Amino acid sequence: MKPTACPARLCALTLALCLAACSVGPDFHAPHADVPPQWHDPQAAASAPQAASSAPAVASVPTEDSDPDPRWWTSFADPTLDSLISRAANGNLDLQEAVLRIVEARTQEQSAAAQGLPNVRASGKYQREQLGAKGFLEEAGVYNKVDQLGAPNSPINAIAPGAGAALENGANSALNTLTSPLNLWQVGFDASWELDLFGRVRRSVESANAQTEAAIESRNDALVSLEAEVAQTYMQLRGAQALREITQSLVDQQRDILTLTQNQAKVGLASQVDVKSAASQLAQTQAQVPQYDQQIAEALNGLAYLLGEPPGTLADELSTPAAVPPVPPAVPVGLPSTLARRRPDIREAEANLHAATANVGVAVAQFYPDISLTGQVGTRASVASGLTHWSSLFYSFGPSISLPIFEGGALVSNLHLSQAQQQQAALDYRKTVLMALRDVDNALAVYRTDQARRAALADSVDAQQVSFDLARDSFRKGLVTFINVLDAERQLGDARQQYAQGTMQVSTDLVALYKALGGGWQADTPVSGSTGAAPVQAQPQGQGQAQTQGQPQPQPQTPGG
C-alpha cells in the first residue's frame, strides 16, 4: 500500500493546485463610450434660421429612427454597383491579405494555447565515451599495487606459488575493461507539463484571442473602406460620363450657333468678329472633352484595380454612359450609442485594449513561481540489442519549481512597459471613438450642405436655360448683339456642368456617410479567392461589449522586484 500511496497523494495535490489556480493581473472589462444622445449636425440644421430661397427642400433626409442598412449600396438601386461591390469583396488583393493576417493570428492563438498542454518528446542517441578513468587510477597508485601482486616476494605467492601472478593478470584485465572506451545506446521519452497556477499561459491565450479579434475587425474595416471606395469610384465614373455628354451637347449647340453666325455674316447681319467669337467658344468647349475622357479612363482603371483585375477589364462593361445613381429619399443613420457596435475600427481598438490588458497579466505572472511536472523513461545499454531488455529500464519523475530572485530589474521593466502599452491602448480607444463621432458629424454636414447646393444649382440651370432661349431668339430677330448669346450660352453650360458635378458629389457624400457609420461588414459578403482561406464572418458584439471606458484600466501592484 505504501508504494501506491505517494503517487496518489501527488495526484491529489496536483489536482488541488490546478483547481485553486488563478490568473494574476487585471481582468478586462469592456470600456464605456462617452457619446452624445443624438448627432450634432441634424440638431444644428433644424435650429438654424432658414434663408429665403426658391430652392426646393432637401430630398434625402438622414433619420435616427433605425440603424443603417448593412447592404447600404442597394439603396442606390443600381445592379451594376451591386455587382461591382460583390466582385471586389471576392477579388480585392488587399482584402485577401487581411484574411491571411487573420489566419496568422489564429495560428498564433493555437501556439499560445499549446503552452498549457503537456509536452512529450521521444529521444534516442548513441555515444562512444572515454571517461579517462585510467589517469585517476594511476594517480591513486592502483596499477602499482596490482604489479606488487605478482612479485616473487608477495604474501600471496608465499602462501600459494603462482597465485599472485594470476591475480595480477585478472586485475589488469578488469582495469583495462574499465578504462576502455564505452558504447552507450539510449532510447526513451521525456515529458513536461507547466501547471500554470498563476495564469501566465491563460493570459497569453487571452491576449492571442484578442489579437485574433483585432485582426478580424481590421479585415472588416478594410472591407468597409473597399466597398466605399468602389462606390465612390463608380459615382465618379458616371459623373465624368455625364459631364462628357453635357459637354458634347454644348459642342453640338455651339456648332449650330457657329453655322447660324456664318450664315448671318454672309447676308451682312453679323460681323466676322461674331464668327470668330463663336468659333473660339466652340474650340474652348471641345478642349474640355479630352479632360473627361481622361477621368473616365482613370475611373475604369481604378475600379479594375479594386476588383483585382488588370486595366481595361471593365471597359466593355462600363463604357456605355449611365446616370449617376440617385440618393434615396431617407437615410437611416441610427443613434450615436450604436456606432461602437458598427464601426470596425472601434471594435479593433477595443480588442487591442483587451490584448494589452491580458499582457499586463502575463508580465505580473513572471514574478510568481513556475511549477512543472517532469518525467523521463527509457532504456539504456552498451549494445543496441540490450535496449530491449527489461533490466536496461531507467526512469525519473517529479515536480520542479523555478522562482525568480534577481533579474536585474528586467521583470519590473517588462511590467511597466505592459502597463504603459495598456494605457496607450485605452487612449487610442477613446481617440478612435472621438474620430468616429467627428467623421459621422462631418459627413452629415457635408451631405446636407451639398444637397442644398445642388437644389440651388437646379434653379440656376432652369433660369440660365430661359435666359439663353431668350437671347438666341432676340439675336435672330436682330434685337441684341451676338455677345449676349455667347454670354448666355456660356453661363448655361457652366450651370449644367456644375449641376452634374453637384449631383455626383451628393451621391459620393452619401457613400462617405455610410462609410463613417461603419456599415457593410455585417452583410453576407464572404471573402474568398486565390488565398484559399475560409470566409471570415465576424458577429456583432453585444451592447455591453461595445461600450468604452474613459480611463485606462487600474494598474496591478508589483509583487516583487
Side-chain angles (χ1 to χ4, degrees), residues 424-470:
Q424 181 181 355
L427 293 176
D428 183 69
Y429 183 87
R430 295 175 57 193
K431 183 175 68 174
T432 304
V433 172
L434 290 177
M435 291 176 59
L437 295 173
R438 180 202 63 184
D439 292 344
V440 174
D441 218 88
N442 286 348
L444 287 170
V446 171
Y447 185 57
R448 171 178 56 82
T449 54
D450 279 348
Q451 284 193 98
R453 178 176 177 272
R454 183 187 61 174
L457 289 174
D459 287 346
S460 175
V461 170
D462 294 339
Q464 293 297 337
Q465 184 65 53
V466 173
S467 176
F468 172 73
D469 293 340
L470 292 175

Side-chain angles (χ1 to χ4, degrees), residues 56 79 95 255 392 398 478 515:
L95 204 58
R255 187 177 287 113
S392 301
K515 178 183 178 182

Side-chain angles (χ1 to χ4, degrees), residues 12 83 137 195 215 253 286 303 377 427 525:
S83 174
L137 295 175
L195 297 183
Q253 291 179 4
Q286 287 177 329
L303 285 173
V377 63
L427 293 176
T525 52

Side-chain angles (χ1 to χ4, degrees), residues 300-301 304-305 309-314:
L300 288 172
N301 292 336
Y305 173 79
E309 301 289 346
T313 305
L314 303 177

